[in-house]
Amino acid sequence: MARVLVAVICVLSLSLVLGRELMGLYGRLTSPGFPHTYPDHQHVRWNITVPEGHRVRLYFTHFSLEHSELCEYDYVQVLSGSNETLRFCGQTEKDHEETPGGAVLYSAGNAMSVVFRSDYSNEGRFTGFQAFYAAEDIDECRSGLDGDPACAHYCHNYVGGHYCTCRSGYLLHSDKRACTVPCSGQVLTRRSGVLTSPGYPEPYPGMSQCHFQIQLEEGFRLVLEFLEPFDVEAHPNVSCPYDVLKIHTEMREYGPFCGSTPPARIKTGTHQVHVLFKADATGKNKGWKIRYTSTATPCPHPVPPPHGRIQPWQALYMFTDSINVTCKRGYKLFQGTKNLTSYQAVCQSDGTWSSSMPECHLVDCGQPEGIPLGQVSVTTTTYQSSVQYTCAPSFNLRGSQNGTYFCAQDGYWRNSLGSRELPECRPCP
């Protein structure tokens, strides 16, 4: 019993893993004792590491191990950085399918492990293996990362790495891979307009972080209508885990929205709306388009005063609309007893006009001035009335064709030449 125990202890001690670290750009590894037969009870592990941006290239030039089903006796095992495991056994010269043959093996990253294991007997006097490895530059631009393109737009490979650049108008994201467009800080102030995801209807760029604001004057109420195509990446079981569109107002939040069905029309009831859009790095969806309009409490339709007119004349007047009132020729604007040179009223947010309607009064030039050594006859003094100046006997009028003056639009008496200068009475020659 003691002899058996000693034998077991010896076997366990011989089976301890012998680890070897290989960190050069190239190298060679062989089974223990190569090119002679390998010993029993071996467990050797080579950990190969090459610089970042490279992968391990491994191939066997000699392979002679005991053959067994599923390689359960003696074997060489290759472990890649992606946890992929390959196990080999048998003899190349006998064309066993389990041998590596002339295959070239590559690591997924910059590390690979090779394990050699032999059991308690090598009766066939097998001579093991010889393999060579080398560091090989990874063309990230060709292979990409995790099956996805290495760069969103342009990829530039160099020995040991790569870098990304973007098309004109795009910015390289902080992840150094995605290309985004500036889509935050835009403020829309017009009463109606259109808002879209970046590049719509072309696929929006990954890693988009957009914040738009529609800001109208207080008193307006915004209405949002989502147009087709509406295409935001979605998930069949989870609500918008990838890309998401949200609408915020002071009163509530609408969304999240994603998928291919446009959301229903939104009457926000407010003058200010925030539109938030967030996209992850994946997906090739077309995005969204919003047409917004605004409504407001209308003001009563204005009625022009007698002898007056309103400009502009329109069927409906809404908040911030303005009107100007002018009078027909021969009339002047008055607000109460105050003479106005012009008049404007604005439709206010509560649906009232900022000022009451003025009146149009007929122009009155008043009593004309008298002249020395003459007199003036007056009938009426309102617009287009006329007065006649005459001189005393032995005096003639000078400075006016016939002494007739008219009440003009500006409220002054003027002669037929438009002059306000009064005539003179001079002695006859």
Side-chain angles (χ1 to χ4, degrees):
M1 181 68 177
R3 185 175 296 174
V4 174
L5 181 60
V6 171
V8 171
I9 292 174
C10 290
V11 171
L12 290 175
S13 64
L14 289 171
S15 299
L16 293 176
V17 177
L18 177 61
R20 299 177 181 177
E21 302 296 326
L22 303 176
M23 304 184 69
L25 293 175
Y26 59 91
R28 172 177 174 265
L29 53 152
T30 66
S31 55
F34 182 84
H36 305 293
T37 58
Y38 54 83
D40 300 333
H41 303 297
Q42 296 295 301
H43 192 180
V44 185
R45 180 186 182 104
W46 294 266
N47 295 319
I48 306 170
T49 304
V50 296
E52 290 287 343
H54 294 74
R55 62 180 177 177
V56 180
R57 181 178 184 267
L58 178 75
Y59 60 94
F60 293 84
T61 59
H62 178 85
F63 200 89
S64 175
L65 271 65
E66 181 181 5
H67 183 260
S68 61
E69 186 178 359
L70 300 179
C71 299
E72 58 184 338
Y73 300 149
D74 301 346
Y75 60 83
V76 169
Q77 193 168 14
V78 180
L79 299 94
S80 171
S82 63
N83 295 325
E84 181 183 1
T85 300
L86 299 173
R87 183 177 286 196
F88 303 108
C89 63
Q91 293 176 276
T92 301
E93 60 187 26
K94 291 188 178 182
D95 293 331
H96 287 130
E97 292 183 357
E98 292 81 4
T99 65
V104 178
L105 308 177
Y106 295 95
S107 63
N110 69 323
M112 176 188 283
S113 294
V114 179
V115 177
F116 170 68
R117 187 73 178 264
S118 64
D119 63 3
Y120 62 89
S121 67
N122 184 2
E123 298 176 353
R125 314 304 294 170
F126 300 103
T127 54
F129 71 90
Q130 175 178 249
F132 293 88
Y133 78 88
E136 183 177 281
D137 177 52
I138 299 175
D139 187 353
E140 294 90 350
C141 296
R142 182 179 62 185
S143 60
L145 303 173
D146 301 326
D148 293 325
C151 300
H153 288 177
Y154 305 125
C155 183
H156 311 274
N157 189 70
Y158 60 86
V159 176
H162 75 289
Y163 67 95
C164 302
T165 58
C166 301
R167 292 193 294 267
S168 177
Y170 288 80
L171 300 177
L172 189 64
H173 191 266
S174 58
D175 66 1
K176 304 302 181 182
R177 177 181 176 184
C179 291
T180 63
V181 294
C183 58
S184 288
Q186 183 179 359
V187 180
L188 306 177
T189 57
R190 304 186 73 173
R191 294 190 193 179
S192 62
V194 172
L195 188 62
T196 70
S197 55
Y200 181 92
E202 297 299 321
Y204 49 81
M207 307 302 291
S208 294
Q209 300 279 347
C210 302
H211 177 202
F212 306 100
Q213 183 176 346
I214 307 174
Q215 178 73 56
L216 304 185
E217 294 181 71
E218 189 172 354
F220 286 106
R221 294 181 293 277
L222 285 162
V223 179
L224 308 182
E225 184 179 0
F226 298 82
L227 307 180
E228 292 189 355
F230 183 88
D231 181 24
V232 178
E233 186 178 9
H235 188 280
N237 301 319
V238 182
S239 176
C240 305
Y242 307 128
D243 305 343
V244 60
L245 175 65
K246 292 183 178 180
I247 310 295
H248 290 274
T249 69
E250 293 182 356
M251 297 176 285
R252 62 175 292 185
E253 176 182 304
Y254 302 87
F257 301 122
C258 60
S260 58
T261 302
R265 192 166 181 256
I266 297 177
K267 294 182 177 180
T268 66
T270 182
H271 67 289
Q272 180 173 297
V273 168
H274 296 270
V275 179
L276 307 177
F277 178 60
K278 181 179 179 181
D280 64 9
T282 62
K284 297 181 179 179
N285 302 79
K286 294 182 178 180
W288 48 268
K289 183 177 184 178
I290 297 175
R291 177 185 293 128
Y292 74 88
T293 55
S294 60
T295 62
T297 302
C299 281
H301 207 276
V303 177
H307 311 290
R309 63 174 69 89
I310 292 175
Q311 294 176 322
W313 186 259
Q314 56 195 53
L316 184 65
Y317 295 90
M318 306 292 289
F319 173 54
T320 73
D321 284 343
S322 63
I323 57 172
N324 293 290
V325 177
T326 57
C327 294
K328 295 179 181 179
R329 188 173 182 82
Y331 291 82
K332 297 186 68 174
L333 283 169
F334 276 84
Q335 189 86 56
T337 59
K338 185 179 180 181
N339 185 10
L340 305 178
T341 56
S342 63
Y343 173 88
Q344 183 182 67
V346 179
C347 181
Q348 303 177 115
S349 60
D350 61 357
T352 62
W353 291 101
S354 60
S355 179
S356 59
M357 190 63 65
E359 298 176 346
C360 288
H361 294 179
L362 187 62
V363 171
D364 193 332
C365 293
Q367 290 295 322
E369 283 186 66
I371 58 174
L373 303 173
Q375 61 183 5
V376 57
S377 58
V378 180
T379 305
T380 58
T381 60
T382 56
Y383 176 62
Q384 290 187 332
S385 296
S386 62
V387 295
Q388 184 66 48
Y389 284 92
T390 56
C391 293
S394 302
F395 287 86
N396 291 330
L397 283 172
R398 298 288 179 87
S400 177
Q401 290 181 328
N402 55 15
T404 304
Y405 283 70
F406 302 91
C407 180
Q409 166 71 22
D410 59 1
Y412 292 99
W413 293 101
R414 297 179 181 275
N415 62 24
S416 58
L417 298 177
S419 174
R420 293 176 53 194
E421 186 178 355
L422 293 178
E424 296 180 1
C425 289
R426 293 184 181 182
C428 295

